[in-house]
Amino acid sequence: MQLRRFYRVVDDRVGTSTVLRKALAKVFPDHWTFMFGEIALYSFITLILTGLFLTLFFVPSTAETTYQGVYEPLAGTEISAAFASTVSLSFDVRAGLLFRQAHHWSALIFIAAIVMHLLRIFFTAAYRRPREINWLIGVTMLALALLNGFTGYSMPDDLLSGTGLRIIYSVILSIPLLGPWLAFLIFGGEFPGDAIVPRLFITHVFLVPAALVVLISAHLAIVVRQKHSQFPGPGRGESNTVGSRFWPAYTMRTIALFAAVLAVAFALGGVAQINPVWIYGPYGPAQATSPAQPDWYVAWGDGALRLFPPVEFTVFGYLVPAPFLPGVVVGGLIFVLLYAWPFIDRRLSRDTATHELLQRPRDHPVRVAIGAGSLAFLAILLIAAVDDVIARFTHLPVVAVLWVLRVLALLLPFVVGAVAYAITRSVRDRSAPDPEPTAASPPAQRGEQPEPAGIDLWHNRLNETWRWRWRGREGRELISHVAFLDRDSAVAGAQLAYPDTPIDDVTPPPTPPRPITGRAGSALLAIALLAIGRRRRGNGRRTGR
């Protein structure tokens, strides 16, 4: 009662009812591909929740300390405080290993969901006007997610993460003129040093998450302002959105999805081992571990370093070392093309109009070919990151595996792109709609006129509710799944879904007869409930005596 009174006071002064009513009535598309963005959001929330727990126990320092935990192989060993706290978190803190691994798995799911979300936007052309800004925000979030994932698994100061840091340090140094200055700014001096782990901690825990929160908030605000795009279909146009309302249908569904993401992350954290730093051991500059592969989202960069030939050259007297082209140019070129793609597409297609409907991938074979070829190239880079593992299992020389992957990196993208283009064009031609009727076509000869779109509104007197139905051409129709308590609410809901569409009051449509099996089942259920009730009353009377 007091809460309701407080809300009325606030609403009387601020006017929140109108905003909340409009927000709760917002319609979200029901297509399953729109779930990737929500999975990314909920994985990020899981990362924050598990990261808060880990922050309480991790020590971001490379100062030497004596390990005195329960892991006997390291007992009495002088190791860094960062590595010691990670091992203690895994073995000495209750549920520490569960939270560590759930945090790591959530990071993998987070980046995978962002990638799938971007692929959905790319192949359906959801980046077209007016959504170019959200595409740029999404690419930036992908870059920040890669950065935060790398800084996260580099903090424990184990042998695997130290090897990755040594590679990144070499790549940064390879940048002409600016490399030494950037390396000093990031690492605080030569690697290994005492400043890198605290800087990784600040970047991973504070800077990048804060930037992601700002970008996610801006992304969601733009989506709310511009509304969702949707696939073409019956009753779907440039001025409406067909799907589920935010309350209650979409809210229940998205809460269930959040619970599923949380459950999957902790289930993987409990049963699937990941990043066992105690096996790798502490980092030592004179040591290296093999095989050594980073997480999949940065493994393509490692694969490029392994795959690219050791080419060095001089520019204006400055030596450009071999890691520069695969480590800086390849990755930089990929993100430059990602940022520029909406504008490249608009320039090539000469399409500057505003679009609310998505394009089906099958209708644009060139885009599908470009996307498939690019994914094939990145897949080869990803496989190249495990060339030593492939050589071990196939008993082939690493050099032979490397040359096979080099040839595939040059040829496979074009082959995959050509095959994707041929398949997509074939599917498009087979599913092409019938040509529009002309003046000499049979409908015009019979004098038939297409029925205009409209909305039927009726009153259901059995439960005193109002329903509406969109009626389109060629007998297509969509019935609202929401029952309204009064006519005005039903009219408002219909106009919100299909603005500027005429509304007609009609008689309620006939209710389809219930099948015999349904009637028989209902009758059997009623008889069973009646028998159980009588038996319970009989037991009660016997107990009373």
Side-chain angles (χ1 to χ4, degrees):
M1 182 65 68
Q2 296 296 329
L3 184 61
R4 183 179 301 176
R5 183 178 302 176
F6 174 76
Y7 174 75
R8 289 177 179 176
V9 172
V10 174
D11 180 55
D12 183 59
R13 288 157 176 78
V14 183
T16 57
S17 295
T18 304
V19 178
L20 288 177
R21 189 179 297 111
K22 187 176 180 180
L24 294 178
K26 181 175 175 58
V27 178
F28 291 83
D30 293 327
H31 201 272
W32 62 271
T33 56
F34 289 86
M35 298 294 104
F36 290 125
E38 296 181 36
I39 294 175
L41 174 63
Y42 296 144
S43 298
F44 181 69
I45 295 175
T46 306
L47 284 170
I48 292 177
L49 296 177
T50 54
L52 289 174
F53 178 86
L54 300 178
T55 306
L56 301 176
F57 302 96
F58 180 72
V59 180
S61 173
T62 56
E64 292 293 325
T65 184
T66 303
Y67 177 75
Q68 298 177 349
V70 299
Y71 186 65
E72 293 185 357
L74 290 177
T77 305
E78 293 290 330
I79 54 179
S80 67
F83 185 74
S85 63
T86 304
V87 176
S88 297
L89 181 62
S90 303
F91 291 98
D92 301 331
V93 177
R94 182 171 298 178
L97 183 59
L98 174 64
F99 274 82
R100 265 198 69 233
Q101 298 193 148
H103 186 78
H104 203 129
W105 281 113
S106 297
L108 301 182
I109 297 173
F110 176 54
I111 300 176
I114 293 178
V115 171
M116 295 302 297
H117 187 58
L118 282 174
L119 289 178
R120 195 271 299 175
I121 294 174
F122 174 83
F123 285 110
T124 60
Y127 49 78
R128 295 177 297 171
R129 184 177 181 183
R131 294 177 173 83
E132 302 96 332
I133 297 178
N134 249 355
W135 171 266
L136 299 179
I137 291 176
V139 175
T140 305
M141 285 195 292
L142 174 61
L144 290 177
L146 298 179
L147 173 62
N148 218 35
F150 179 78
T151 57
Y153 87 80
S154 299
M155 288 192 305
D157 197 33
D158 59 284
L159 185 57
L160 181 61
S161 65
T163 303
L165 283 175
R166 180 165 54 188
I167 294 173
I168 290 297
Y169 180 76
S170 302
V171 170
I172 295 175
L173 281 178
S174 68
I175 301 176
L177 189 62
L178 298 178
W181 296 94
L182 291 175
F184 175 80
L185 181 65
I186 296 173
F187 288 84
E190 294 185 356
F191 179 80
D194 297 332
I196 182 60
V197 171
R199 295 187 181 192
L200 291 175
F201 179 80
I202 294 174
T203 303
H204 181 78
V205 176
F206 297 105
L207 299 182
V208 177
L212 285 173
V213 168
V214 172
L215 292 177
I216 291 173
S217 302
H219 180 78
L220 296 177
I222 293 175
V223 169
V224 172
R225 179 66 181 87
Q226 294 179 343
K227 78 177 184 178
H228 271 284
S229 57
Q230 60 184 347
F231 286 98
R236 300 172 183 175
E238 299 284 359
S239 59
N240 70 326
T241 303
V242 178
S244 303
R245 289 194 175 191
F246 180 75
W247 178 265
Y250 181 79
T251 302
M252 297 298 103
R253 185 173 64 195
T254 194
I255 290 176
L257 182 61
F258 176 46
V261 171
L262 201 64
V264 168
F266 275 91
L268 289 173
V271 302
Q273 179 177 275
I274 190 169
N275 197 25
V277 296
W278 55 90
I279 297 179
Y280 307 143
Y283 175 71
Q287 298 176 345
T289 179
S290 180
Q293 283 75 35
D295 287 334
W296 70 268
Y297 50 85
V298 290
W300 58 272
D302 188 19
L305 290 169
R306 302 186 186 200
L307 206 60
F308 209 87
V311 177
E312 295 183 349
F313 53 94
T314 304
V315 177
F316 299 113
Y318 291 95
L319 176 66
V320 180
F324 176 72
L325 290 179
V328 179
V329 174
V330 173
L333 185 60
I334 290 175
F335 273 93
V336 167
L337 291 176
L338 284 175
Y339 277 112
W341 177 252
F343 312 101
I344 296 175
D345 181 82
R346 184 172 62 187
R347 182 66 177 263
L348 296 177
S349 63
R350 298 181 181 179
D351 183 6
T352 58
T354 299
H355 297 279
E356 302 296 338
L357 288 178
L358 301 173
Q359 292 179 344
R360 297 188 184 278
R362 68 189 182 198
D363 296 332
H364 296 271
V366 175
R367 185 190 303 129
V368 172
I370 294 174
S374 302
L375 290 177
F377 177 71
L378 291 175
I380 294 299
L381 296 184
L382 191 64
I383 295 174
V386 294
D387 58 352
D388 51 345
V389 178
I390 296 175
R392 173 178 295 182
F393 280 97
T394 58
H395 303 288
L396 295 174
V398 176
V399 177
V401 175
L402 193 61
W403 273 105
V404 171
L405 293 175
R406 285 174 177 174
V407 173
L408 290 177
L410 295 176
L411 299 180
L412 191 62
F414 297 99
V415 174
V416 171
V419 172
Y421 177 84
I423 294 176
T424 307
R425 186 171 180 176
S426 176
V427 173
R428 182 194 64 180
D429 295 340
R430 290 182 180 180
S431 59
D434 297 332
E436 294 293 333
T438 60
S441 60
Q445 293 176 0
R446 294 194 300 265
E448 298 178 359
Q449 298 293 332
E451 182 184 2
I455 294 176
D456 296 334
L457 186 70
W458 68 86
H459 181 213
N460 191 350
R461 298 187 181 279
L462 295 178
N463 52 11
E464 294 298 326
T465 58
W466 289 80
R467 300 289 295 273
W468 58 266
R469 171 183 59 196
W470 175 84
R471 171 177 34 83
R473 297 178 177 87
E474 302 176 359
R476 297 178 300 181
E477 63 178 24
L478 289 173
I479 299 178
S480 170
H481 65 279
V482 178
F484 299 88
L485 299 179
D486 54 76
R487 186 180 186 279
D488 294 338
S489 299
V491 171
Q495 291 178 346
L496 180 65
Y498 301 96
D500 302 328
T501 304
I503 299 176
D504 300 323
D505 288 277
V506 298
T507 58
T511 304
R514 298 177 62 185
I516 300 299
T517 55
R519 294 177 182 176
S522 300
L524 292 176
L525 180 61
I527 293 173
L529 293 176
L530 180 62
I532 293 174
R534 295 186 62 181
R535 184 175 180 180
R536 288 184 175 179
R537 286 197 297 270
N539 292 336
R541 286 194 295 269
R542 287 193 296 270
T543 303
R545 288 196 298 268

